[in-house]
């Protein structure tokens, strides 16, 4: 691939695609499980400092999204009622819940599966993707933007889990920390 | 967990642990496969701009590490010969290789499995973990640091794959980009 090809590729904005978005959302539970299942707690319960998420916390946060955020917001937009304001997403809802990591992994997988079934049953049309709701802070957003954000939210939290884990070995890698700026960010 | 607990946790440096490191290294091929297998090329071949890696490129780079870097460096350290300098890691070795993503995923999994078998057979002792080699740029490094870096290298490249994928929807998420600083970094 030439430099020009790469530039063209980098500036092209990828269009929202419902089926591809579902394909990404479907795989997240398996990715998280492969990453974390059976790991010692030193790896899954450590975080990046005060008020930051450990991998265990991230899985709880993903569960919160499944239980309170994505599908309810999709329904608000599709209903097109007079009040289309979303309930704010409580990012710390799952904190302090008495669950094991293994329970969280299982719960997330089953909620995600059920929610994607619901989404498929809604049979969203291209026209409906342009319908809007009101985000409490961001203002008017479309259904397509909400669905794209669901996938991006998965991907950035997966990146976070990997980063948080990598940071636990910041001292252990010695001089190699120079090649891993992610660990000191 | 109190704020003090979190602070204490954050400042504690995790000690290198050979068995835990292997546990992390073992799962990477499955994580990458769950993330990428069967995805459209728009997701796996797009990158972050000129001279950056796509998810496909990252898998090639992980293969290069298995074929040329980690085990050869471990052997140089364990041999303790008169010349303990490592060969520089060619980060772009796999570029242009005529392989499909599916072939790369399979190749990475089989190389990693064989290399971890080799590592186990070397029966590295705690004393050997302190032996050193000479990195072409970083100078003297220990075997423990090399092994920790192998795991960190996996984790940071997994984070990269997730970030690169998320960026493809930077435009699609509309105003939500404000909540995802990772996409504009």
């Amino acid at each position: 691939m030439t430099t020009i090809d790469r530039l063209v590729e980098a500036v092209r904005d990828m269009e929202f695609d419902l089926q591809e978005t579902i394909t990404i959302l479907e795989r997240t539970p398996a990715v998280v499980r492969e990453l974390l299942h059976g790991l010692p707690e030193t790896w899954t319960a450590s975080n990046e400092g005060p008020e930051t998420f450990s991998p265990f916390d991230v899985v709880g946060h993903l569960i919160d999204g499944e239980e309170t955020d994505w599908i309810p917001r999709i329904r608000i937009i599709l209903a097109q009622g007079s009040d289309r304001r979303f309930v704010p997403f409580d990012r710390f809802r799952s904190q302090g819940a008495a669950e094991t990591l293994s329970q969280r992994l299982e719960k997330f997988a089953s909620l995600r599966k059920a929610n994607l079934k619901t989404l498929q049953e809604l049979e969203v049309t291209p026209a409906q993707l342009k319908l809007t709701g009101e985000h409490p802070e961001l203002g008017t957003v479309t259904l397509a933007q909400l669905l794209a954000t669901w996938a991006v939210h998965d991907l950035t939290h997966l990146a976070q889990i990997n980063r948080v884990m990598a940071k636990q070995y910041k001292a252990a890698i010695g001089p190699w920390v120079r090649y891993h700026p992610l660990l000191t960010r």
Side-chain angles (χ1 to χ4, degrees), chain A:
Chain A
M1 190 182 280
T2 68
T3 303
I4 296 296
D5 287 337
R6 286 186 182 275
L7 272 166
V8 168
E9 185 180 57
V11 296
R12 177 183 50 73
D13 289 332
M14 195 189 285
E15 299 253 341
F16 175 77
D17 182 294
L18 181 57
Q19 201 45 58
E20 289 185 6
T21 303
I22 291 171
T23 301
I24 288 171
L25 290 168
E26 275 173 346
R27 55 190 66 205
T28 307
V31 176
V32 182
R33 190 183 56 238
E34 292 294 346
L35 260 174
L36 300 178
H37 77 93
L39 275 187
E41 270 208 7
T42 42
W43 288 94
T44 59
S46 298
N47 60 26
E48 295 176 284
E51 309 308 312
T52 66
F53 281 172
S54 67
F56 176 74
D57 295 330
V58 171
V59 184
H61 173 65
L62 291 172
I63 288 172
D64 292 341
E66 298 306 305
E67 290 189 327
T68 68
D69 196 77
W70 308 108
I71 292 290
R73 290 181 174 191
I74 291 167
R75 291 196 191 279
I76 287 170
I77 293 178
L78 289 175
Q80 288 293 294
S82 56
D83 183 2
R84 300 170 198 168
R85 278 176 303 181
F86 303 154
V87 176
F89 188 173
D90 178 0
R91 295 176 56 249
F92 300 98
R93 176 175 174 267
S94 65
Q95 278 207 343
E99 294 166 319
T100 64
L101 174 62
S102 165
Q103 286 168 332
R104 284 197 174 180
L105 291 172
E106 210 173 300
K107 189 171 175 183
F108 174 52
S110 106
L111 287 166
R112 173 58 59 88
K113 197 174 174 184
N115 282 340
L116 290 181
K117 186 163 177 283
T118 299
L119 176 60
Q120 300 270 26
E121 285 166 358
L122 290 171
E123 296 186 341
V124 172
T125 65
Q128 283 176 317
L129 288 173
K130 293 174 188 156
L131 295 176
T132 61
E134 294 300 318
H135 187 282
E137 286 185 349
L138 303 173
T140 304
V141 293
T142 67
L143 180 55
Q145 287 166 346
L146 174 64
L147 290 164
T149 301
W150 193 359
V152 165
H153 184 264
D154 273 17
L155 292 166
T156 56
H157 280 295
L158 287 173
Q160 179 184 25
I161 290 175
N162 290 306
R163 184 185 71 235
V164 174
M165 288 174 65
K167 281 191 181 179
Q168 307 312 316
Y169 260 180
K170 194 173 67 187
I173 66 174
W176 264 290
V177 77
R178 257 180 61 193
Y179 291 174
H180 294 90
L182 197 63
L183 273 60
T184 42
R185 199 172 276 161

